[in-house]
Amino acid sequence: MKIEKAIAGTAATLKIIGRLDTTTAPELESTIDGCVAGIKELVLDCSELEYVSSAGLRVILKAQKLMNAQGAMKLTKVN
């Protein structure tokens, strides 16, 4: 998995490339935890996301709960 991060003001976009599974979910979780301070909008670009396991879904749901408290989160280009 590869994650491309772009931050503009109070918005962050993370493009997830490849597979989000048990082995890669901790990397996404760490990236999200490291970039959401002061962020009001988090966008997860899934245009090149090939697979999501239950571990990946857990990380996405955790991010949603976090962003509900401080702003909003969107998933875009979901296949």
Side-chain angles (χ1 to χ4, degrees), residues 15-44:
K15 184 174 186 177
I16 308 165
I17 302 166
R19 296 175 56 90
L20 180 55
D21 55 25
T22 303
T23 59
T24 59
E27 179 184 351
L28 178 61
E29 185 172 21
S30 176
T31 300
I32 290 170
D33 289 345
C35 79
V36 294
I39 295 296
K40 299 291 181 196
E41 180 181 41
L42 176 63
V43 177
L44 299 181

Side-chain angles (χ1 to χ4, degrees), residues 3-78:
I3 302 169
E4 295 177 356
K5 180 170 55 170
I7 298 177
T10 60
T13 300
L14 301 177
K15 184 174 186 177
I16 308 165
I17 302 166
R19 296 175 56 90
L20 180 55
D21 55 25
T22 303
T23 59
T24 59
E27 179 184 351
L28 178 61
E29 185 172 21
S30 176
T31 300
I32 290 170
D33 289 345
C35 79
V36 294
I39 295 296
K40 299 291 181 196
E41 180 181 41
L42 176 63
V43 177
L44 299 181
D45 179 346
C46 301
S47 61
E48 295 185 45
L49 183 60
E50 299 169 1
Y51 172 80
V52 180
S53 73
S54 59
L57 288 175
R58 182 190 59 78
V59 172
I60 292 170
L61 289 172
K62 179 184 173 197
Q64 178 66 55
K65 286 180 182 179
L66 176 66
M67 291 308 300
N68 281 344
Q70 67 186 53
M73 185 179 101
K74 291 190 243 180
L75 297 177
T76 62
K77 302 174 187 166
V78 178

